[in-house]
Amino acid sequence: MTKHSGKTIDKVDGIKIINCESCGFVHVSPIPSDEELRKFYEKEFYQYERPNYFKETQEDLSWWMATYANYYRIFEGLTKGRTLLDIGSGPGHFLACGKKRGWKTVGIEPSSVAAEYSRKRGFATETGFFRYEDAKKLGTFDVVHAALVLEHVPDPIGFISDMKKMLKKDGILAIFCPNDYNPLQNILRTQQKMKPWWVVPKHHLNYFNPESMQKLLVKQGFQIEKTLGTFPIETYILTGKNYVGNHVVGRACHQERKKFELMLYKNHYDILNTLYAGLAQAGIGREFLIIARK
Ligand SMILES: [Zn+2]
């Protein structure tokens, strides 16, 4: 068993956040047991079970689809195969985008409400948490994608190694994660004395940045193909629009961001991708997408 130790960088809700030297990334300490996590997720109020979830998502759908199409376009430049496994597939929007582009997709989703919705839309979806022993019957894939998953799992190193087993030879792994303790958050913290609002230890066990995730993947034998940041939404707080804990301000900022990105997705996605690759290199962007080859 790995011994987790490193400098404590925060303590939130009585839970320590350490910069773990053996793992090479920031995570909670102690790491909850599988049993504790199972109990937590059984009681967990899944976002998909909120009454307004599907309605609110509808408002952002064209933006989500344009964003996903941009990511699929990158995959298509890196592999000739067109099979994709989406781990944490939610209501199936990523699967839908793939299907539209001629991909054969399968989803795995722990929320039964979301998985059922996805199946009703006609997308192959397994209900449950991703475990290699359960998933291996699905075969291997050209691309394995996991968005907003790795920050939740107790053993990201084991999780990545299991995802690798689901890939064909030379297959592509795509990981999308929040970029935490990023330079803009750190500026807001030191200059405006803001609390570390991105630290939510009950939900997020791990706090990655592009560099720590790249290192983790290289250690497991992957070759990094591309790293993109997402829109540096914290710039709004720096201009005085503090959306933290304010849903109305948050939605307004999000609308502007969507407008900007949709404009570029239309004819100039290459410019946007160059810009976002540069951001990732500087460690900036609210999330990041890393695409790596087995
Ligand atoms: Zn550790």
Side-chain angles (χ1 to χ4, degrees):
M1 222 178 133
T2 327
K3 195 180 173 296
H4 300 285
S5 71
K7 196 175 161 244
T8 299
I9 56 172
D10 266 311
K11 197 171 180 183
V12 175
D13 300 336
I15 301 168
K16 271 196 298 188
I17 314 293
I18 65 164
N19 192 356
C20 183
E21 279 162 29
S22 48
C23 292
F25 57 87
V26 172
H27 63 71
V28 298
S29 176
I31 295 166
S33 68
D34 286 351
E35 180 62 14
E36 285 169 303
L37 285 169
R38 193 184 56 77
K39 276 191 189 149
F40 175 72
Y41 278 106
E42 266 172 14
K43 280 187 287 179
E44 175 72 332
F45 191 58
Y46 271 106
Q47 58 167 337
Y48 310 115
E49 287 157 33
R50 273 201 335 249
N52 284 329
Y53 173 80
F54 293 103
K55 201 176 135 232
E56 278 176 22
T57 309
Q58 216 55 33
E59 204 181 288
D60 287 342
L61 202 55
S62 58
W63 169 76
W64 277 118
M65 294 313 264
T67 303
Y68 293 159
N70 183 45
Y71 294 160
Y72 271 102
R73 205 182 293 116
I74 296 172
F75 303 156
E76 287 159 9
L78 292 171
T79 176
K80 287 198 173 69
R82 293 289 181 268
T83 58
L84 178 139
L85 174 67
D86 188 20
I87 297 174
S89 54
H93 300 319
F94 201 78
L95 304 176
C97 183
K99 197 173 182 183
K100 232 166 124 184
R101 300 180 70 89
W103 286 69
K104 203 166 171 269
T105 60
V106 181
I108 300 180
E109 168 55 42
S111 158
S112 52
V113 173
E116 185 54 33
Y117 180 83
S118 174
R119 274 192 295 273
K120 271 192 193 142
R121 298 174 72 189
F123 309 135
T125 311
E126 300 277 322
T127 307
F129 287 99
F130 168 64
R131 262 186 305 260
Y132 178 68
E133 281 311 308
D134 302 331
K136 65 180 178 192
K137 63 170 191 272
L138 301 171
T140 53
F141 295 83
D142 298 297
V143 176
V144 173
H145 170 257
L148 304 176
V149 171
L150 269 295
E151 65 274 25
H152 297 275
V153 305
D155 174 20
I157 296 172
F159 200 92
I160 289 169
S161 128
D162 282 349
M163 285 199 286
K164 192 177 175 187
K165 292 183 207 157
M166 296 302 295
L167 280 171
K168 288 185 184 172
K169 185 177 173 282
D170 297 324
I172 297 291
L173 182 71
I175 291 179
F176 184 95
C177 255
N179 175 19
D180 292 323
Y181 292 96
N182 73 49
L184 298 184
Q185 290 172 335
N186 291 336
I187 288 170
L188 287 159
R189 192 169 185 181
T190 50
Q191 294 189 4
Q192 297 195 21
K193 305 278 172 266
M194 286 180 73
K195 292 238 167 72
W197 68 92
W198 59 92
V199 180
V200 282
K202 288 220 167 83
H203 298 266
H204 291 183
L205 308 179
N206 311 304
Y207 298 83
F208 296 106
N209 59 37
E211 201 190 343
S212 64
M213 184 59 84
Q214 282 171 348
K215 279 188 181 157
L216 198 55
L217 293 174
V218 168
K219 227 174 166 177
Q220 297 213 29
F222 285 96
Q223 181 195 324
I224 309 297
E225 290 278 2
K226 211 173 185 65
T227 306
L228 297 180
T230 62
F231 189 91
I233 195 82
E234 303 90 346
T235 49
Y236 281 111
I237 313 182
L238 289 160
T239 63
K241 292 179 193 160
N242 187 355
Y243 57 78
V244 176
N246 188 329
H247 188 66
V248 175
V249 174
R251 283 303 290 176
C253 297
H254 182 60
Q255 295 303 336
E256 290 188 18
R257 168 254 181 100
K258 283 199 304 189
K259 219 184 273 177
F260 165 73
E261 289 185 342
L262 280 170
M263 197 68 93
L264 288 171
Y265 283 144
K266 221 177 268 172
N267 295 309
H268 300 288
Y269 53 82
D270 49 340
I271 293 176
L272 190 68
N273 289 341
T274 304
L275 176 68
Y276 283 180
L279 283 185
Q281 213 162 18
I284 295 173
R286 182 61 195 99
E287 295 94 8
F288 60 82
L289 174 74
I290 298 188
I291 300 175
R293 194 181 295 277
K294 183 177 175 176

